[in-house]
Amino acid sequence: MAIGVFDSGVGGLTVHHRLVERFPAANFVYLADQANAPYGGKAGEEIVALTRAGCERLFAEGCNLVVLACNTAASVALRRLQQTWLPGHRRELGRPVNVLGIVVPTIEAATGLPWEHEAERRGEKVEKLDILGVFSTPATTASRVYEIEVDKRRQDVAVFSEPCPELARMIEAGAPRDELRKVVEGHVQALKSRVGRPPDRAILGCTHYEIVADLFRDALPPGTPLIHQPDATADALARYFERHPEFDAGSGAVRRFLTTGQPGAQHSLVETFWGGPLSFERA
């Protein structure tokens, strides 16, 4: 058995890398849907269909748990798949399987509260608001998942999302650092102009952006905390395994990397982040 990690491209490797560190003995299969990347500008039904196909492939590879290491897939498709597709697919497979996302752990980390918690709505004016900036793909921004779910839990936190239409594509393509820096600085400035001041904290709401987290740190005021999705996801998965011993992640430390796109070595931006060469098999 194995843990599956799914993303539209290489951004999910940021989550995968942290999960491997946290669960070194577990077996992992990573699937990048690079033939259809990026997901951020696609229609909702297409995102649902592509995400379902990725999960099916990972279950077929022996995974019993799939982590959607893609904010767009988790924001747009996860609930639909959990409610309308997964129960029947479990019966077809005849074994326990599940699909988890990275949005829930991120919101838990951003609010400091468990997902089950919902704040009592008092209607009182909050004197000081904590500004939480979210940099994400257009599809994640349009879903308003961070605004809706954070507001349910914390009335003293105001969420402002900044869509970054081209950034994931540029990272996926291995764009030069100077070009990436200009784009990141532009989005940070756009958020600051819209809010009227810099955010107090920020979420990199696309796993691709973690690869250039240092550029966001440079563009934001010194000391601005970044909520890191890989760390939040690893913490949440550890808690999940404690509650669900029926899910076996294996113990052979197997690592496989699949892509629906061009197999072979990845570009230097990914290799620099990963810490060495990385080659994908054809999915």
Side-chain angles (χ1 to χ4, degrees), residues 1-269:
M1 306 305 290
I3 301 170
V5 181
F6 177 75
D7 185 34
S8 62
V10 298
L13 289 169
T14 58
V15 173
H16 179 68
H17 193 273
R18 187 70 187 93
L19 293 180
V20 169
E21 290 178 336
R22 180 65 68 89
F23 308 103
N27 299 325
F28 284 92
V29 182
Y30 183 89
L31 174 59
D33 189 17
Q34 291 177 302
N36 297 294
Y39 281 11
K42 296 185 183 299
E45 289 302 317
E46 185 178 6
I47 294 169
V48 172
L50 291 170
T51 305
R52 182 176 62 243
C55 292
E56 287 175 338
R57 177 58 193 271
L58 286 166
F59 289 146
E61 291 291 337
C63 299
N64 58 1
L65 192 65
V66 173
V67 177
L68 299 183
C70 172
N71 281 268
T72 302
S75 300
V76 176
L78 179 57
R79 184 170 293 183
R80 274 270 302 276
L81 296 182
Q82 288 175 331
Q83 293 177 346
T84 65
W85 170 71
L86 198 54
H89 199 62
R90 283 193 191 105
R91 291 192 293 272
E92 289 177 19
L93 294 175
R95 57 186 171 92
V97 295
N98 203 2
V99 182
L100 305 176
I102 57 175
V103 171
V104 169
T106 306
I107 289 171
E108 289 180 327
T111 61
L113 296 166
W115 182 253
E116 296 77 17
H117 178 87
E118 289 199 16
E120 182 181 349
R121 313 305 294 183
R122 298 181 182 275
E124 299 171 358
K125 183 179 179 180
V126 178
E127 293 299 326
K128 187 178 186 324
L129 283 174
D130 181 69
I131 303 298
L132 175 62
V134 180
F135 299 94
S136 61
T137 67
T140 299
T141 300
S143 76
R144 291 185 53 80
V145 63
Y146 286 102
E147 288 88 339
I148 293 167
E149 298 299 341
V150 170
D151 182 65
K152 285 180 184 178
R153 293 157 178 82
R154 294 279 300 270
Q155 288 184 274
D156 60 338
V157 177
V159 178
F160 290 86
S161 292
E162 173 65 23
C164 309
E166 295 298 318
L167 187 55
R169 181 194 60 76
M170 293 175 68
I171 295 169
E172 190 75 24
R177 293 267 300 177
D178 287 346
E179 291 183 20
L180 292 167
R181 184 180 298 277
K182 290 178 182 176
V183 171
V184 168
E185 288 174 348
H187 287 304
V188 170
Q189 185 56 48
L191 181 67
K192 288 165 61 178
S193 298
R194 189 151 51 88
V195 177
R197 66 178 178 89
D200 298 298
R201 295 175 294 146
I203 292 173
L204 303 185
C206 171
T207 49
H208 282 80
Y209 304 170
E210 193 73 27
I211 294 175
V212 293
D214 60 315
L215 300 183
F216 279 95
R217 287 192 202 96
D218 291 345
L220 290 162
T224 303
L226 292 182
I227 296 167
H228 293 281
Q229 293 191 304
D231 293 335
T233 304
D235 292 343
L237 190 57
R239 295 192 297 269
Y240 185 86
F241 282 135
E242 289 175 1
R243 299 193 307 269
H244 297 277
E246 69 272 22
F247 285 98
D248 180 8
S251 57
V254 173
R255 312 282 183 259
R256 295 184 61 204
F257 299 88
L258 310 178
T259 180
T260 61
Q262 184 65 39
Q266 294 300 297
H267 55 67
S268 59
L269 184 62

